[in-house]
Amino acid sequence: VKDNLPDIFRIMYGFVLISERMKAVLEEFDLGQTQIFPVTLYENDQVTPRPDTLFVLNVAELKDGFVPERSEGGKPRMIVDSWSSVIFS
C-alpha cells in the first residue's frame, strides 16, 4: 500500500488522476470544458478500495495565457496537443 500518492499522476492508458487537494486548486480557475470525475482506485488485490479521494482530470480546454510583451526574454512555444509529452514525477 502506497500511503503518499502525489497530487497529480498518470495511470494506465494515459488517464490523469488528481487528489482532492489538487481539485480544490484547479476549481479556483476557469476550466472551460475540462471535466473532473470522482473515481475509486483499488489496491493491487483489485478488491480493496484505496482510502484516498481521487478524481480523473479530463483536460478538454486549450487556453493561451502567454503574453510576450509582459514576459522578459520569453518566447512563444509550440502548443502541444496531447498530454503524452507531459511527465509527472
Side-chain angles (χ1 to χ4, degrees):
V1 175
K2 186 172 181 179
D3 291 330
N4 56 344
L5 292 175
D7 287 316
I8 184 168
F9 60 99
R10 220 194 287 209
I11 61 170
M12 291 175 48
Y13 307 112
F15 289 106
V16 177
L17 297 187
I18 60 173
S19 67
E20 193 165 22
R21 186 169 81 161
M22 178 63 78
K23 177 181 178 279
V25 170
L26 291 175
E27 288 178 334
E28 292 181 23
F29 300 92
D30 175 12
L31 299 178
Q33 297 298 310
T34 293
Q35 301 167 312
I36 299 174
F37 300 102
V39 65
T40 302
L41 194 64
Y42 291 87
E43 297 295 349
N44 287 337
D45 65 9
Q46 297 182 7
V47 174
T48 308
R50 288 197 49 90
D52 318 82
T53 302
L54 298 169
F55 301 86
V56 173
L57 175 65
N58 179 29
V59 178
E61 188 81 17
L62 181 63
K63 300 208 177 211
D64 183 10
F66 180 69
V67 183
E69 57 275 2
R70 297 197 59 187
S71 303
E72 186 176 321
K75 298 177 188 174
R77 299 179 75 186
M78 184 185 327
I79 295 174
V80 178
D81 63 354
S82 167
W83 279 78
S84 63
S85 65
V86 177
I87 298 173
F88 301 109
S89 54

